[in-house]
Amino acid sequence: MHEMSLMGGVFEVIEQTLSLHEVKRVLQVKLKVGELTNAEPDALDMAFEAYSKDTICEGAELIIERVPIRARCRNCQHLFAVKTMFFLCPNCQNTGIEVIQGEELLLESLEVE
């Protein structure tokens, strides 16, 4: 389950961020998760629960925003949403595309007390 390793990285960022501030507890954690990470929200929830146990994040709400895949054609510069894993420009049928959204795993915000 790669969600555990992904969440490990998220908790490294959380710990670095919290070390800069005086925080009693974390109430909410918001993540942006790109479709290409192949991270399942339920598995991320379980990983979050495991990592947060006995920390100031325990009991915090995890909010996951799924980020769809968007691409740009390198040939015609057309921007488009990728609906399937067949990466083909719908405008010119070129296979040379650049993924511009959908690979991210970002800690968007922390709500703390």
Side-chain angles (χ1 to χ4, degrees):
M1 175 161 82
H2 82 252
E3 287 84 356
M4 285 299 284
S5 64
L6 292 175
M7 193 56 68
V10 168
F11 265 80
E12 284 179 23
V13 174
I14 289 173
E15 288 168 3
Q16 288 172 359
T17 303
L18 294 180
S19 71
L20 303 173
H21 307 280
E22 287 188 36
V23 174
K24 292 178 186 171
R25 71 184 189 118
V26 176
L27 304 173
Q28 186 181 83
V29 175
K30 288 185 184 178
L31 299 179
K32 282 191 171 187
V33 181
E35 294 288 333
L36 284 174
T37 65
N38 292 319
E40 292 297 322
D42 289 343
L44 285 172
D45 280 334
M46 288 177 18
F48 180 79
E49 198 172 308
Y51 270 97
S52 66
K53 187 155 179 57
D54 299 324
T55 73
I56 62 173
C57 292
E58 187 169 15
E61 177 186 19
L62 177 63
I63 297 175
I64 299 170
E65 178 186 336
R66 300 293 285 184
V67 180
I69 306 166
R70 293 197 42 81
R72 174 183 296 118
C73 177
R74 289 188 174 125
N75 183 51
C76 71
Q77 303 305 308
H78 179 66
L79 293 172
F80 60 98
V82 177
K83 302 289 186 201
T84 67
M85 288 301 157
F86 189 62
F87 290 68
L88 180 71
C89 176
N91 191 49
C92 72
Q93 310 307 306
N94 193 299
T95 58
I97 69 158
E98 172 187 9
V99 174
I100 58 171
Q101 178 183 293
E103 298 177 302
E104 53 275 89
L105 176 64
L106 302 172
L107 175 61
E108 183 172 294
S109 68
L110 294 170
E111 184 179 319
V112 299
E113 184 175 86

